[in-house]
Amino acid sequence: MKSKILDTIGISAAVLCLIHCIIFPLLLIVPLGISHNPYIDLVFLLIGTVVVFRLTKKIKSTWLKLLFWISIVLISVSVLIDLLFEIHVPLIYAGAAGLITGHIINFKNHKH
């Protein structure tokens, strides 16, 4: 049951992250005085890392664990490059999509 809750939190955070990453650049085009804050990406990364860490301790599928951790690494690299060099790298989209996919697969594999 706890794994199901972690998947729900993970899916929610990853979807919000993906929405943030897709819609925010569009908002920058409109002159609203909004600027990008990479610390929001860092918060999503921290939430995702905690959820993936706790979740991967419980699942047995090696390829699913690998999908989760590769996705976290992609997001980490993107956020780190953004924080250090102020360059937005699209690896974050692949990482968020990987997390969403992994959580959905893991959620469907639960015995209900």
Side-chain angles (χ1 to χ4, degrees):
M1 182 67 172
K2 191 165 189 147
S3 180
K4 186 176 176 182
I5 293 169
L6 289 173
D7 280 326
T8 305
I9 292 170
I11 291 170
S12 301
V15 168
L16 286 174
C17 176
L18 194 58
I19 290 170
H20 162 77
C21 290
I22 291 171
I23 293 182
F24 192 78
L26 297 175
L27 291 177
L28 291 177
I29 295 170
V30 180
L32 298 174
I34 300 173
S35 63
H36 179 252
N37 186 348
Y39 294 104
I40 293 172
D41 298 336
L42 185 61
V43 169
F44 282 123
L45 173 62
L46 293 175
I47 292 169
T49 303
V50 169
V51 170
V52 165
F53 176 75
R54 294 186 66 190
L55 193 62
T56 54
K57 289 193 306 186
K58 296 175 181 9
I59 60 177
K60 293 180 174 116
S61 173
T62 305
W63 71 269
L64 195 54
K65 287 181 184 183
L66 196 59
L67 175 62
F68 279 126
W69 285 113
I70 287 173
S71 298
I72 289 294
V73 167
L74 290 174
I75 295 170
S76 299
V77 168
S78 180
V79 170
L80 185 64
I81 289 172
D82 195 7
L83 285 170
L84 295 177
F85 304 112
E86 297 180 9
I87 299 170
H88 186 72
V89 180
L91 292 174
I92 200 164
Y93 303 123
L99 285 179
I100 293 167
T101 303
H103 284 297
I104 289 172
I105 290 168
N106 193 48
F107 187 81
K108 287 185 176 186
N109 286 341
H110 288 294
K111 308 285 187 251
H112 300 292

